[in-house]
């Protein structure tokens, strides 16, 4: 029997709080889970710094990746397999792409990508195609297989139907993370009837569509996505911790460039600082290592680095006020000047952060989140784009909501033991009071 077809002597089952059980029968899938690069995902949180806002949000990308795999496995094995329009030869490809789709995420991806100009999707490709344990497993299936898996994840694979299972407006990735993030944060949004959605998915031509009778379950999914974005993913406190994390990385990089002598030399960061990170270095970095440095750097001589690390580790976050960059740039200039007078470098202590999201979108090609729209399969066999059928979805389609906040260290500004007058002026401009 070929490796691709090989089944485990006994099915392996993972207990999972979201899907109850995750079933593995294929030898290839089992071997991939056991690789060094996949196990690394245990040490990378799914939601980055969100655990500082919602203390339950400690779940990892390992959890999420298994969850996406399980959703795909159920769609392929339970819903699609008996259908004549489904080609079962792509089953293993779907399972592997689902399992590995987030493989290239690093620690606190968001901030690291911003500061060091990295791209986790490039690393996913590099891990699948490079000299890694994952590549060795995939190559045993066939010499072309690693490239096929990489192509599905990069959305360049020939069969668009396979891609739309993994990345579209309603895909296994989103269905897993919405439910998983809701579960671990403990919020009451984020829940929707996935069982119903799975039952009404249909392979049709080059995409996966939804029987029109399932429209209300899909509406619920879109609304829960909308709620999760604003209540969890863009939570202002999480953004504060991300601002601090980003500024730590900036500071460490800047110090390194200026020849600062670290008491705890950032060996693991060196190739990132210099802008030519290798795959090996990248894979060696995980959140445990990053946190180790942050804890050590609390004792660095550089006051900015040590203060920011102290803030991150002890959760002494920045506070914020609403900010309108189109109208308030003069105010920002004035604040920057006053911050300098108060011995606070505005580069690190006065930060504008913006978040924006499109709850559902179908017509804007080329935007950052270009995903296949949701099509309903009508009783007469025609396809209809969701927002043309659903008034609820139409109401929120294509509307980008953007939110800007100005972050600053309130604790420092409230302490009148130094720069009392300047701080009073700053507080007046920011509208900061004791409470
Ligand atoms: Ca994902």
């Amino acid at each position: 029997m070929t490796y691709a077809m090989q089944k485990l002597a006994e099915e392996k089952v993972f207990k999972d709080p979201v899907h109850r059980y995750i079933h593995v029968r294929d030898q290839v899938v089992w071997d991939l889970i056991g690789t060094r690069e996949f196990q690394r995902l245990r040490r990378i949180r799914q939601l980055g710094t969100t655990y500082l806002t919602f203390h339950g949000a400690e779940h990892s990308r390992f959890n999420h990746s298994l969850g996406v795999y399980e959703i795909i496995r159920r769609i392929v094995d339970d819903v699609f397999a008996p259908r004549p329009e489904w080609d079962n030869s792509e089953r293993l490809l779907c399972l592997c792409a689902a399992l590995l789709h987030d493989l290239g995420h690093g620690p606190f991806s968001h901030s690291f990508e911003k500061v060091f100009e990295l791209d986790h999707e490039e690393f996913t490709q590099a891990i699948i195609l490079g000299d890694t344990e994952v590549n060795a497993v995939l190559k045993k299936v066939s010499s072309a297989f690693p490239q096929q898996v990489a192509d599905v994840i990069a959305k360049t694979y020939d069969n668009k139907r396979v891609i739309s299972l993994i990345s579209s407006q309603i895909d296994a990735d989103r269905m897993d993370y919405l439910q998983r993030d809701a579960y671990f944060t403990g919020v009451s949004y984020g829940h929707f009837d996935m069982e119903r959605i799975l039952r009404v998915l249909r392979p049709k031509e080059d995409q996966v569509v939804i029987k029109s009778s399932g429209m209300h379950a899909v509406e619920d999914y879109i609304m829960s996505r909308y709620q999760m974005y604003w209540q969890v993913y863009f939570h202002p406190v999480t953004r504060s911790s991300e601002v601090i994390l980003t500024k730590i990385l900036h500071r460490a990089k800047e110090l390194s460039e200026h020849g600062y002598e670290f008491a705890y030399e950032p060996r693991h960061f060196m190739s990132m600082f210099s802008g030519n990170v290798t795959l090996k270095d990248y894979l060696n970095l995980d959140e445990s290592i990053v946190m180790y440095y942050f804890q050590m750097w609390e004792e660095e001589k550089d006051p900015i680095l040590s203060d920011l690390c102290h803030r991150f580790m002890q959760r002494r976050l920045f506070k914020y006020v609403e900010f309108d960059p189109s109208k308030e740039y003069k105010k920002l200039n004035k604040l920057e000047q006053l911050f300098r007078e108060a011995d606070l470098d505005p580069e690190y202590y006065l930060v504008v952060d913006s978040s924006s999201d499109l709850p559902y979108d179908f017509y804007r090609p080329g935007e950052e989140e270009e995903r296949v729209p949701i099509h309903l399969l009508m009783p007469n066999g025609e396809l209809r784009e969701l927002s043309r059928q659903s008034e609820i979805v139409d109401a929120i389609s294509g509307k980008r909501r953007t939110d800007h906040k100005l972050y600053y260290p309130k604790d420092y500004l409230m302490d009148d033991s130094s720069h009392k007058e300047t701080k009073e002026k700053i507080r007046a401009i920011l509208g900061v009071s004791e409470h």
Side-chain angles (χ1 to χ4, degrees):
M1 189 189 283
T2 64
Y3 180 53
M5 302 294 286
Q6 213 173 306
K7 302 290 173 192
L8 298 168
E10 215 170 80
E11 180 182 72
K12 303 281 186 186
V13 176
F14 293 80
K15 277 292 280 169
D16 183 79
V18 175
H19 306 304
R20 293 192 61 232
Y21 294 101
I22 288 166
H23 304 265
V24 179
R25 298 185 193 109
D26 298 83
Q27 185 69 46
V28 177
V29 171
W30 183 247
D31 290 347
L32 284 173
I33 293 170
T35 59
R36 181 185 179 85
E37 297 84 23
F38 193 79
Q39 290 291 319
R40 163 184 171 274
L41 297 177
R42 290 182 187 271
R43 302 186 300 276
I44 295 174
R45 291 184 189 85
Q46 173 70 9
L47 290 182
T49 64
T50 301
Y51 72 95
L52 289 167
T53 310
F54 298 94
H55 66 260
E58 296 271 0
H59 55 305
S60 70
R61 297 207 181 265
F62 181 89
N63 305 165
H64 164 65
S65 298
L66 285 181
V68 177
Y69 153 83
E70 176 64 9
I71 295 175
I72 291 288
R73 191 199 63 74
R74 290 187 53 196
I75 295 173
V76 172
D77 287 353
D78 302 346
V79 186
F80 287 5
R83 302 205 153 259
E85 63 272 38
W86 173 251
D87 176 1
N88 213 36
S89 70
E90 295 199 302
R91 174 181 178 277
L92 189 65
L93 178 61
C94 291
L95 298 186
C96 294
L99 190 69
L100 304 179
H101 79 284
D102 272 347
L103 198 58
H105 270 290
F108 305 112
S109 287
H110 215 70
S111 309
F112 270 75
E113 292 190 1
K114 216 156 71 183
V115 177
F116 301 122
E117 291 172 10
L118 305 170
D119 176 1
H120 69 266
E121 293 183 357
E122 275 174 32
F123 281 104
T124 301
Q125 299 286 309
I127 296 168
I128 291 173
L129 300 172
D131 179 17
T132 58
E133 293 183 12
V134 162
N135 179 266
V137 172
L138 296 173
K139 249 190 337 216
K140 273 171 73 185
V141 174
S142 79
S143 58
F145 197 59
Q147 188 65 56
Q148 289 174 347
V149 173
D151 286 348
V152 171
I153 295 172
K155 305 180 200 118
T156 54
Y157 188 63
D158 285 343
N159 187 340
K160 299 292 175 237
R161 190 197 284 170
V162 173
I163 297 172
S164 77
L165 275 175
I166 319 276
S167 52
S168 65
Q169 291 280 349
I170 186 159
D171 56 28
D173 184 16
R174 288 181 168 177
M175 283 196 275
D176 184 79
Y177 75 60
L178 287 177
Q179 297 178 89
R180 191 168 301 279
D181 298 344
Y183 177 88
F184 282 99
T185 52
V187 299
S188 56
Y189 347 95
H191 302 284
F192 57 92
D193 191 352
M194 185 179 78
E195 298 303 316
R196 174 95 187 115
I197 292 177
L198 294 189
R199 276 199 301 276
V200 295
L201 288 180
R202 293 289 177 270
K204 169 106 177 155
E205 289 147 27
D206 64 350
Q207 54 181 311
V208 176
V209 300
I210 293 182
K211 264 177 73 180
S212 61
S213 60
M215 185 177 84
H216 299 294
V218 176
E219 286 176 341
D220 210 20
Y221 154 88
I222 301 241
M223 293 315 288
S224 80
R225 184 168 172 250
Y226 179 78
Q227 300 280 7
M228 283 297 283
Y229 266 77
W230 290 100
Q231 306 292 340
V232 175
Y233 302 138
F234 297 153
H235 194 288
V237 174
T238 306
R239 285 160 62 190
S240 174
S241 53
E242 224 164 71
V243 162
I244 291 175
L245 174 58
T246 305
K247 291 300 172 186
I248 293 173
L249 299 176
H250 266 299
R251 186 63 181 177
K253 180 168 186 262
E254 190 177 86
L255 290 173
S256 169
E257 282 165 359
H258 288 86
Y260 171 84
E261 277 194 33
F262 286 86
Y264 298 93
E265 203 209 328
R267 217 160 38 83
H268 290 85
F269 291 89
M270 279 314 183
S271 67
M272 288 202 180
F273 289 163
S274 66
N276 49 24
V277 58
T278 62
L279 184 57
K280 187 165 174 286
D281 283 357
Y282 188 78
L283 288 170
N284 277 335
L285 205 62
D286 59 35
E287 287 179 4
S288 320
I289 303 243
V290 171
M291 301 284 264
Y292 164 79
Y293 280 105
F294 288 4
Q295 183 153 349
M296 290 298 144
W297 287 344
E298 277 191 69
E299 291 157 35
E300 283 289 343
K301 294 178 302 298
D302 179 68
I304 294 180
L305 183 63
S306 82
D307 176 63
L308 292 174
C309 286
H310 176 69
R311 286 179 180 280
F312 189 82
M313 296 308 290
Q314 314 310 330
R315 201 190 175 282
R316 291 186 47 213
L317 304 179
F318 291 170
K319 300 292 184 200
Y320 61 91
V321 288
E322 301 300 325
F323 182 73
D324 183 347
S326 65
K327 293 188 192 127
E328 296 180 296
Y329 63 96
K330 271 193 188 150
K331 182 164 131 182
L332 188 60
N333 287 344
K334 178 72 187 159
L335 281 169
E336 283 171 351
Q337 185 198 326
L338 289 168
F339 266 57
R340 275 187 214 99
E341 281 172 28
D343 268 345
L344 275 175
D345 186 341
E347 174 72 28
Y348 293 98
Y349 289 97
L350 187 65
V351 185
V352 178
D353 182 75
S354 308
S355 290
S356 66
D357 176 47
L358 283 170
Y360 173 75
D361 196 25
F362 62 95
Y363 63 85
R364 298 187 188 197
E367 291 224 346
E368 72 257 61
E369 277 259 8
E370 190 187 328
R371 293 203 178 204
V372 185
I374 299 174
H375 281 111
L376 298 176
L377 179 62
M378 306 308 288
N380 64 5
E382 277 176 18
L383 294 185
R384 228 174 129 75
E385 192 278 317
L386 175 67
S387 68
R388 299 188 192 281
Q389 189 67 18
S390 161
E391 285 175 22
I392 291 175
V393 175
D394 184 45
I396 59 168
S397 281
K399 293 192 180 66
R400 182 179 290 282
R401 194 179 131 188
T402 305
D403 170 80
H404 309 278
K405 295 197 187 321
L406 182 62
Y407 286 88
Y408 64 93
K410 182 174 174 185
D411 45 10
Y412 181 81
L413 296 176
M414 298 307 290
D415 173 7
D416 280 339
S417 61
S418 69
H419 308 284
K420 187 167 183 290
E421 277 171 31
T422 312
K423 286 177 181 175
E424 274 168 4
K425 283 184 204 160
I426 294 174
R427 293 203 298 258
I429 296 176
L430 287 172
V432 176
S433 61
E434 291 291 342
H435 309 288

